[in-house]
Amino acid sequence: MKRTPSVVLGLCSYTHDSSAALLVDGELVGFVEEERLSEQKHTKLYPAHAIGWLLDQAKLSAADVDAVAYNFQPARYLAESPAALRMALSPTTRDRSLARAHGFAKVAVRTQRRLGVLGSQFPSAHVTPVLHHRAHQLTAFAASGWQEAAVLVVDSLGERQTTTIARGQGTHHPRARTLEVINDPASLGYVYGAVTEHLGWRRGDEEGTVMALAALGDPSRFRHLFARAVRTTATGFHIDPGYFPTRTLTSGYPRTSRRFVAETCSERHPSEPLTDVHRDLAAALQERTEQVMVHLARRTRVLTGSRRLCVGGGVATNCVSIGKIIESGIFDEVFVPPAPGDAGTAIGAALAVHVDRRNPCPVAGIARTCYLGPSYEDQSLDLTPWPGLRQKALGVETAEFLADQLAHGTIAGLFQGAVEAGPRALGNRSILASPLEPGVVERLNATVKFREPFRPFAPMVPAEHADEFFTLGQPAPYMSMASGVTDRTRERVPAIVHANGTSRLQTVTRSQNPFMHTVLTAFGRRTGVPVLINTSLNIKGKPICGTPEMALDCLANSGLDALLLEGRWITK
């Protein structure tokens, strides 16, 4: 008699960055963020599009799902309420203790209700809430493909936890054993989000803008403030509520204090010009974040004894901090998964349920891969809604054609294969440009991406040529690490070097992305420099283009010269 397969659906939903992942007998069918299909950036809605695609891929229905893994545990929120009430004993936290206790209890109830809603969608499934940081840990570790590694997760908040140190073991049945926990209100992600908001950008979305701005400022101006506000301890760090008042999970409570404003600057409106004080504040925040992250990495090394490190959580997207950890030499190699933020926890939650059920089937399809979403290779293309666009089919020399166009100054969108996981452009949904073209960064920011002029652009390079241009000394497949550069880079391709002397590179192997490796090689043959600028196929405020329609809109409504869409060259 044929055995019924185990079908586990992992979900991130109702908070932000909704996503879904599907495991069938331990094998990952796919993973996709809802925004790539719904066109709503950072959407918190139930990921109906993502789930529909996954079930269709597996030729299953909702009734076939026997387990739903959700990336939060409601009871863990409830446990914070008594601790919050004890904050009334301290004059620095007294004014928020009741609001904090109420806020955590309210979120616990809301999360429990969400589990019920999910259960109603899948009549044959048992819904299991998974500890948020455990989901992060398993995502990061399983994606590494390593048999054993240290795992450091740093984010804003998962139930009560903000930072965890664990040891991961096993490739076929990955597990992560937590060794140390830091709970809220000690939260590095909270502090970075608070200052991002204070500087006039969207918290939970534009922290990367602040990281870029930091390179233009002088951290010494506010260095001592952040040393007081974010104080390291023997086992982690502590946040001074005098600067960053405790979190309440209730709207209407500012994240920075009057003291913080008095000692720095007033809150900047997005329409106001940037001044030195804003640059210096960003620089000091970034410097302290890097220091704390390296401190946590050292603590992780001591606790685990491991020589390899996996990093997950929202703060893992701070590529300069990851670069500092690598430079420190604490670990032999550092790995960040392609989707280190909350969206990626859909994978980790599904893994947790698969492992806990003692399913004998080994985990597969997760390690060292990022192209996990929908693809549209065989879809016909109707340009009627875009009357200004023209298309022509390309032959077998598509990579050579694209390399030639780029070498002659064309800025081209690229839409090929499966949608990437995570927030970076990894060669399937990219905007590509020659770093040798005069004024290319200014043109990309002003007319293509419509974003701040100080924002840098990441380079991609064949892995075998990485050491000629970058000093990182290890693979960087997911554009998650900032690296120093060589003299050759400064001389030949200064456009890819940010003001802090680093580049957030992506190393590309032939096995990882054969097409992009061929394009890079062909571009290098024409120009002597096998390096391209690679940024995500979207404009500011929009998600990365997951569908052909989104890509065509991007071409039509931006300064892109052309779009290579599954073998078709589309121009205006």
Side-chain angles (χ1 to χ4, degrees):
M1 183 175 178
K2 188 176 180 181
R3 185 181 66 84
T4 302
S6 166
V7 180
V8 182
L9 178 67
L11 295 179
C12 172
S13 183
Y14 306 124
T15 52
H16 58 87
D17 296 316
S18 288
S19 65
L22 188 67
L23 290 178
V24 177
D25 276 343
E27 183 166 0
L28 185 67
V29 171
F31 161 83
V32 65
E33 292 150 87
E34 182 71 4
E35 66 169 28
R36 308 291 162 88
L37 306 178
S38 71
E39 302 187 44
Q40 298 178 52
K41 192 173 185 182
H42 297 305
T43 182
K44 64 180 181 180
L45 298 177
Y46 174 77
H49 295 86
I51 293 169
W53 172 75
L54 287 166
L55 292 177
D56 184 63
Q57 282 291 106
K59 296 180 173 53
L60 298 171
S61 70
D64 295 314
V65 176
D66 54 43
V68 173
Y70 186 60
N71 63 336
F72 288 100
Q73 286 186 342
R76 298 294 185 113
Y77 282 105
L78 198 59
E80 180 58 30
S81 290
L85 290 173
R86 287 195 292 273
M87 289 182 177
L89 301 175
S90 170
T92 58
T93 55
R94 182 178 300 150
D95 62 330
R96 293 197 176 194
S97 62
L98 283 175
R100 180 177 171 89
H102 177 261
F104 274 81
K106 182 176 68 176
V107 171
V109 172
R110 184 189 303 155
T111 305
Q112 186 63 46
R113 287 175 181 160
R114 288 168 177 167
L115 296 179
V117 172
L118 292 175
S120 68
Q121 300 288 328
F122 302 93
S124 306
H126 178 72
V127 181
T128 301
V130 175
L131 187 65
H132 189 68
H133 269 234
R134 186 185 178 205
H136 271 307
Q137 291 165 357
L138 288 172
T139 300
F141 177 62
S144 75
W146 291 332
Q147 175 63 32
E148 183 276 336
V151 185
L152 172 64
V153 174
V154 187
D155 66 2
S156 179
L157 182 69
E159 296 98 9
R160 304 174 71 193
Q161 299 175 343
T162 67
T163 307
T164 53
I165 294 171
R167 187 164 183 255
Q169 289 183 295
T171 53
H172 298 311
H173 297 88
R175 296 181 180 275
R177 182 168 65 92
T178 300
L179 303 175
E180 195 161 79
V181 172
I182 298 174
N183 286 327
D184 197 67
S187 170
L188 203 55
Y190 180 83
V191 168
Y192 212 104
V195 179
T196 295
E197 199 168 53
H198 189 80
L199 288 171
W201 286 289
R202 292 187 300 275
R203 171 172 49 86
D205 181 26
E206 297 184 292
E207 282 82 354
T209 304
V210 175
M211 182 176 65
L213 180 67
L216 307 181
D218 178 5
S220 66
R221 182 172 183 176
F222 298 114
R223 180 175 290 145
H224 295 300
L225 182 153
F226 277 99
R228 294 190 300 270
V230 186
R231 180 171 52 84
T232 56
T233 66
T235 58
F237 63 96
H238 172 78
I239 305 300
D240 186 342
Y243 289 102
F244 299 99
T246 52
R247 184 195 321 252
T248 64
L249 298 183
T250 304
S251 59
Y253 288 83
R255 294 186 171 218
T256 53
S257 69
R258 292 178 180 175
R259 179 182 177 185
F260 180 85
V261 173
E263 295 185 22
T264 58
C265 61
S266 59
E267 187 172 340
R268 172 183 168 267
H269 189 274
S271 64
E272 294 175 3
L274 287 168
T275 65
D276 285 344
V277 69
H278 303 127
R279 299 181 187 95
D280 295 346
L281 186 58
L285 167 70
Q286 178 62 30
E287 179 185 74
R288 192 56 176 160
T289 300
E290 294 163 16
Q291 291 168 349
V292 175
M293 286 294 283
V294 171
H295 175 69
L296 291 170
R298 292 190 191 280
R299 178 66 179 167
T300 303
R301 173 80 174 91
V302 169
L303 285 178
T304 64
S306 300
R307 293 302 307 171
R308 287 168 162 172
L309 174 68
C310 303
V311 190
V315 182
T317 61
N318 191 296
C319 63
V320 182
S321 292
I322 301 300
K324 293 292 184 182
I325 293 173
I326 295 169
E327 284 179 11
S328 71
I330 302 167
F331 293 91
D332 293 341
E333 189 172 350
V334 177
F335 176 83
V336 179
D342 276 11
T345 60
I347 297 174
L351 282 172
V353 169
H354 175 78
V355 170
D356 289 350
R357 297 170 102 192
R358 301 187 182 279
N359 190 307
C361 297
V363 167
I366 298 173
R368 302 287 172 164
T369 183
C370 62
Y371 307 115
L372 299 171
S375 62
Y376 301 85
E377 288 99 330
D378 301 322
Q379 181 173 304
S380 60
L381 193 63
D382 178 12
L383 293 183
T384 304
W386 301 273
L389 301 184
R390 301 180 300 276
Q391 65 170 313
K392 69 174 181 179
L394 300 179
V396 293
E397 298 297 323
T398 302
E400 293 286 343
F401 174 86
L402 178 58
D404 193 63
Q405 290 289 322
L406 295 169
H408 284 88
T410 298
I411 295 178
L414 175 62
F415 185 106
Q416 63 158 2
V419 177
E420 299 105 329
R424 314 294 194 208
L426 300 173
N428 278 9
R429 302 290 186 275
S430 292
I431 292 172
L432 303 174
S434 167
L436 306 173
E437 195 71 14
V440 65
V441 170
E442 292 77 9
R443 183 185 165 196
L444 279 166
N445 274 325
T447 69
V448 179
K449 299 287 283 189
F450 306 113
R451 65 183 199 179
E452 296 82 2
F454 57 83
R455 296 278 295 275
F457 288 96
M460 62 194 319
V461 61
E464 63 270 25
H465 293 289
D467 290 346
E468 300 171 27
F469 297 92
F470 306 101
T471 61
L472 191 67
Q474 70 153 72
Y478 305 130
M479 207 187 286
S480 51
M481 303 158 180
S483 170
V485 300
T486 64
D487 290 341
R488 185 183 183 191
T489 300
R490 281 185 283 268
E491 292 167 6
R492 297 294 307 276
V493 277
I496 62 169
V497 184
H498 193 35
N500 60 6
T502 70
S503 295
R504 188 188 71 202
L505 80 154
Q506 180 191 3
T507 56
V508 182
T509 64
R510 188 174 297 280
S511 60
Q512 172 194 347
N513 192 321
F515 180 79
M516 274 314 312
H517 189 274
T518 302
V519 172
L520 287 163
T521 302
F523 182 81
R525 200 165 53 245
R526 287 164 170 79
T527 64
V529 178
V531 178
L532 285 169
I533 287 175
N534 176 24
T535 186
S536 53
L537 184 59
N538 69 325
I539 60 175
K540 186 179 179 182
K542 298 287 187 180
I544 294 175
C545 298
T547 67
E549 292 76 18
M550 293 169 70
L552 291 166
D553 280 340
C554 186
L555 172 62
N557 297 302
S558 76
L560 276 177
D561 295 320
L563 172 69
L564 178 58
L565 194 159
E566 299 297 358
R568 305 175 185 93
W569 186 245
I570 304 172
T571 55
K572 298 176 182 178

